[in-house]
Amino acid sequence: MSEQILERRVGIRGWLLQPNPRGRTQATAQQLYKNWQRFCGYPLGLVGLAIIVLLIVVAICAPLLTSYDPIAQNMANRLAAPSWEHLLGTDEFGRDVFSRIVYGARTTLYIIMLVAVIVAPIGLLIGTCAGYFGGWVDEILMRVTDVFLSFPGLVLALGFAAALGPGITNAIIAISLTAWPPIARLARAETLSLRKADFIAAVRLQGASAWSIILRHILPMCVPSVIVRITLNMASVILTAAGLGFLGLGAVPPSPEWGAMASSGREFMIESPWVIAAPGIAIALVSLAFNLFGDALRDVLDARGSE
């Protein structure tokens, strides 16, 4: 594969070839600015980014946005309709729905961040090792990956969560165990196109070990594609986490979690629809935001190949 094609596919080769740290910093800043300019050409992507930023702000500033305790019960005010006092009404235990939505954003953000931190290194390491070493290493790692991919992600996550028991930590582990195979497949495909490149051959001739080549040269060049993939996968992560919470395998009550709120509110969806509508809209909105942002980010990175 020629150097030009490599530069178009991964977009960071120029950064890697900078002769000094200052040059690398300038190249990185220029590349980020160009990518941001391209990203601004996608209005839906900007909408998705705005919603994600709003989610982060709401999670951080939750105590400033509501004065109600999300777990404090008030049975005298149960199932109250939306009003100025309770913007989204109250649930079956008299808890303010708006405060539970706001604090539930923290739970959602916590799940998203931990899943991304766990899944990205695992998928990258397995995929790059399989693609670079090939042979029996590739065969074993990819067959294990195929086993995980052969089951629907939600079904597999339900199985792991049922075995581990309810709880946020166990839900994160269950989701992570089902979310790494697509990352590994993508990293393997990128590695297969990179391992025979001229600059990899040059590094190998200089005496670099296989692990050094993987960690210092191949793995960093797979990161942009993996970031896009993880961003696109966040919608399914949110839906899976909500599904686990809906079935009682996520956050333990009375912790505010959107899936669990939707589960408890389904009994009152006719006479008090706000109890289930609020968490349902929150789940759908954040999932859509990550999809819009991921699609725009993918188009921005692909646009480099058309220059």
Side-chain angles (χ1 to χ4, degrees), residues 23-45:
R24 290 187 177 186
T25 301
Q26 293 176 348
T28 301
Q30 292 175 358
Q31 186 64 46
L32 290 176
Y33 180 70
K34 290 180 180 178
N35 287 343
W36 171 248
Q37 286 184 316
R38 296 191 190 100
F39 188 85
C40 290
Y42 296 88
L44 292 180

Side-chain angles (χ1 to χ4, degrees), residues 19-265:
N20 55 71
R22 183 177 180 181
R24 290 187 177 186
T25 301
Q26 293 176 348
T28 301
Q30 292 175 358
Q31 186 64 46
L32 290 176
Y33 180 70
K34 290 180 180 178
N35 287 343
W36 171 248
Q37 286 184 316
R38 296 191 190 100
F39 188 85
C40 290
Y42 296 88
L44 292 180
L46 291 174
V47 171
L49 178 61
I51 296 174
I52 294 172
V53 172
L54 179 62
L55 173 70
I56 297 173
V57 172
V58 168
I60 295 175
C61 303
L64 302 177
L65 298 176
T66 177
S67 59
Y68 290 99
D69 187 339
I71 62 175
Q73 300 183 10
N74 182 12
M75 298 303 293
N77 197 31
R78 65 187 301 268
L79 298 178
S83 62
W84 286 112
E85 184 178 2
H86 300 282
L87 295 179
L88 298 179
T90 62
D91 63 8
E92 68 275 19
F93 294 105
R95 298 173 296 197
D96 183 68
V97 175
F98 177 74
S99 67
R100 290 180 63 78
I101 291 292
V102 169
Y103 279 90
R106 289 185 168 184
T107 303
T108 300
L109 192 63
Y110 176 70
I111 294 174
I112 290 172
M113 292 178 60
L114 280 188
V115 169
V117 168
I118 294 172
V119 165
I122 293 176
L124 269 173
L125 188 60
I126 292 177
T128 52
C129 288
Y132 184 80
F133 291 111
W136 63 269
V137 175
D138 182 29
E139 193 69 21
I140 292 175
L141 292 178
M142 286 301 100
R143 294 300 76 76
V144 173
T145 303
D146 289 340
V147 170
F148 280 86
L149 288 174
S150 62
F151 297 93
L154 179 58
V155 174
L156 195 59
L158 286 174
F160 284 123
L164 295 172
I168 288 293
T169 302
N170 291 340
I172 292 173
I173 295 174
I175 296 172
S176 299
L177 289 174
T178 63
W180 66 265
I183 307 300
R185 278 288 185 184
L186 177 61
R188 175 181 179 271
E190 292 281 345
T191 304
L192 288 175
S193 65
L194 291 170
R195 68 176 182 178
K196 295 182 180 180
D198 293 341
F199 76 98
I200 294 294
V203 172
R204 191 182 297 115
L205 289 175
Q206 291 176 358
S209 64
W211 284 108
S212 177
I213 294 174
I214 291 174
L215 296 177
R216 297 183 59 186
H217 300 279
I218 294 180
L219 193 146
M221 299 188 76
C222 296
V223 168
S225 298
V226 170
I227 290 176
V228 174
R229 181 69 186 189
I230 289 178
T231 304
L232 291 171
N233 283 357
M234 284 301 102
S236 63
V237 169
I238 294 171
L239 293 175
T240 301
L244 294 178
F246 188 87
L247 297 174
L249 297 173
V252 178
S255 300
E257 196 273 324
W258 295 344
M261 292 173 62
S263 176
S264 63

